[in-house]
Amino acid sequence: MKSIISYLRIREWLDSKVTFMMGILLFFYFCIDGYFGTITAAKTVAYFLYVSMFLAISYVANDFADMEIDKKAGKTKVIAHMPKWGIWSSLILMAMVGNTPVLVCADNKWVCSIIIILTYFSGLAYSTLGIRFKERGLLGLIECSFAQRCMPLLIIFVLVKTDGPLIVMLLGWMVLSFVDGLRYIIIHQVNDLENDIASGVDTYVIRKRGDYRKVLLGLLILELIITVFLLTPLWKRTVVLTSAFILFNIALEYCVYVVIQKYAQKDIFLTFDSVPMEAFYNTLFPVLSGLSLVIIDIRWIILTVVLFLVSCKSFVVKCKIALIFIKSKVGKQR
C-alpha cells in the first residue's frame, strides 16, 4: 500500500488539491439548494474520482518523464523500479476509473468529452508530449497552475446546472485556484533551486532569481480579495457559521505566523511548513460548504465528515503549531 501511495504521490494532492475542489463542488450544490439524492451522490463520487485520477496521472507522467533527471539528483522513486508496461497499464486503468463515471453522469457528454481531452492535454503537456512547459520559465509556471488547478473545475459545468451568475462564480473559483497554484509552484521551485541546478532543469526561478517574497505576498493579497467575493453566497445565507469559520481561520493564521516567522525564524512565505490560507482552502472551506449543505439536507454530513477526515492530518499539524503560540502566552501570564 505504501508503494502505491508513493507511486501515485497521493500525499501531494489528496488533502490539498482534491479537498479544495470537492469544497467548490459542494459550494455550487449549496447555491442550487442541492439535496443528497442518488444522482447527486453519484455525480459527487464521479467528480472525486475524476479529479483524483487526473492528478495521479499528471504526477506519474511527470515522474516517468523525469526518471533520468531524478537519478542525477539522487532521487529514488518507486516508478524507477517498475517495468514500462506496468506504468502504461496503470495510466490506462487510472484514466478509465477517472473518466468513465463522469461521462456516465454528465448531462452533455460531448462537452464533457471535450473538457476531459483538453484537461488531460494541458496536464500532460507540463512535463511530457514533447512540449515540457516545465522548462519554459514563466510560461511553464502559468501552464502548470492552469492545468492542475483550473481545468479540473471545468467539469462542474456538466455536473451542475449553472446559470449566468453561477458561471461567473465558477470562473472566479478558477481564478482563485490559479493564483493559489502559482504560489505553491513558486515556493516549490525556490525550495528545489539547488536540486534543479544540479540536475540541469531550467525553471522560472532559476531564470529569474530575485525577491520572490514580494511576489508571493502580492498573490496572497489578491487571493484574499477574491475569496471574500466568492464567499458572498455563504455570507448571505449562513452568516453565523461562515463568520465563525473565518474568525477561527484568522486566529489560526496569526498564531502560526508568529511561530513560523518569529519563533522558528523562517520566512512563512517561502516555506511549506505552513503555507498561508492552506488550512482554510483545504479543510475549513470544504467543511464549511458541507455544513452549509447539511442545513438543506442532513445526509450531507456523511461527505462533510469524510472530507474533514481526509484533510485533518495537515490541519491538526497547523493547530499544534498554533498551540505553541498559545502556550507561550499562557506561560508568560503565569
Side-chain angles (χ1 to χ4, degrees):
M1 181 59 71
K2 288 183 178 180
S3 296
I4 294 175
I5 292 173
S6 178
Y7 173 64
L8 300 179
R9 293 171 64 178
I10 292 176
R11 291 190 179 93
E12 297 180 45
W13 47 260
L14 180 59
D15 62 353
S16 54
K17 298 181 179 73
V18 173
T19 52
F20 185 29
M21 292 181 190
M22 290 300 295
I24 295 173
L25 178 66
L26 296 187
F27 171 85
F28 277 91
Y29 283 153
F30 173 75
C31 290
I32 63 171
D33 293 324
Y35 286 88
F36 194 84
T38 303
I39 296 176
T40 305
K43 288 182 176 181
T44 303
V45 173
Y47 183 70
F48 172 78
L49 291 173
Y50 172 74
V51 172
S52 298
M53 291 301 97
F54 164 71
L55 291 171
I57 289 172
S58 297
Y59 277 90
V60 171
N62 179 73
D63 288 344
F64 183 54
D66 287 353
M67 277 198 293
E68 295 302 320
I69 294 174
D70 288 338
K71 287 180 181 178
K72 291 180 182 179
K75 298 179 182 178
T76 54
K77 296 182 178 180
V78 174
I79 195 170
H81 306 290
M82 291 179 59
K84 289 187 177 179
W85 67 265
I87 298 171
W88 282 108
S89 297
S90 70
L91 290 171
I92 293 172
L93 178 61
M94 285 188 287
M96 291 176 63
V97 171
N99 297 323
T100 303
V102 81
L103 276 169
V104 172
C105 294
D107 297 323
N108 191 321
K109 293 177 174 34
W110 281 107
V111 173
C112 183
S113 299
I114 293 171
I115 291 174
I116 290 173
I117 291 171
L118 292 176
T119 300
Y120 271 77
F121 176 80
S122 63
L124 296 175
Y126 177 67
S127 57
T128 61
L129 302 181
I131 302 174
R132 275 187 76 83
F133 279 107
K134 184 177 183 177
E135 298 189 34
R136 295 179 182 265
L138 181 60
L139 183 61
L141 211 69
I142 294 172
E143 197 277 340
C144 180
S145 184
F146 182 76
Q148 290 193 357
R149 300 280 184 156
C150 299
M151 291 302 291
L153 295 176
L154 282 176
I155 213 72
I156 292 177
F157 278 121
V158 296
L159 294 178
V160 180
K161 292 182 179 180
T162 52
D163 54 14
L166 288 181
I167 290 174
V168 173
M169 195 67 71
L170 181 54
L171 293 176
W173 282 110
M174 290 176 68
V175 172
L176 175 63
S177 298
F178 172 73
V179 177
D180 189 51
L182 285 182
R183 272 203 302 143
Y184 276 83
I185 298 168
I186 292 174
I187 296 171
H188 175 74
Q189 290 190 0
V190 169
N191 283 271
D192 267 14
L193 182 60
E194 293 183 4
N195 285 335
D196 288 338
I197 292 174
S199 56
V201 177
D202 184 18
T203 65
Y204 170 71
V205 169
I206 289 176
R207 288 186 184 184
K208 306 286 185 180
R209 299 186 196 182
D211 185 7
Y212 291 102
R213 191 177 193 278
K214 293 180 180 178
V215 175
L216 292 167
L217 178 59
L219 291 174
L220 177 60
I221 292 172
L222 179 59
E223 280 184 48
L224 294 174
I225 294 171
I226 298 172
T227 301
V228 171
F229 166 74
L230 292 174
L231 292 179
T232 301
L234 294 176
W235 281 109
K236 288 182 176 180
R237 296 171 59 184
T238 58
V239 62
V240 175
L241 182 65
T242 303
S243 298
F245 270 69
I246 289 176
L247 289 174
F248 176 83
N249 184 69
I250 292 172
L252 179 65
E253 290 287 358
Y254 175 75
C255 294
V256 170
Y257 169 80
V258 173
V259 173
I260 299 294
Q261 190 76 27
K262 297 184 178 181
Y263 294 1
Q265 296 293 305
K266 292 183 179 181
D267 192 331
I268 197 168
F269 295 105
L270 296 174
T271 179
F272 279 121
D273 288 358
S274 183
V275 180
M277 288 299 287
E278 186 175 47
F280 183 78
Y281 293 142
N282 300 340
T283 303
L284 294 177
F285 167 67
V287 172
L288 172 60
S289 295
L291 291 177
S292 298
L293 275 170
V294 169
I295 298 173
I296 299 173
D297 190 328
I298 189 64
R299 289 174 293 180
W300 283 110
I301 193 65
I302 300 170
L303 183 57
T304 304
V305 171
V306 170
L307 286 177
F308 177 73
L309 292 176
V310 168
S311 61
C312 71
K313 186 177 181 180
S314 58
F315 181 71
V316 169
V317 170
K318 297 183 193 310
C319 290
K320 287 182 177 179
I321 295 175
L323 194 60
I324 295 173
F325 170 78
I326 295 172
K327 287 181 177 179
S328 69
K329 293 299 179 183
V330 173
K332 287 182 179 180
Q333 291 178 357
R334 290 178 181 177

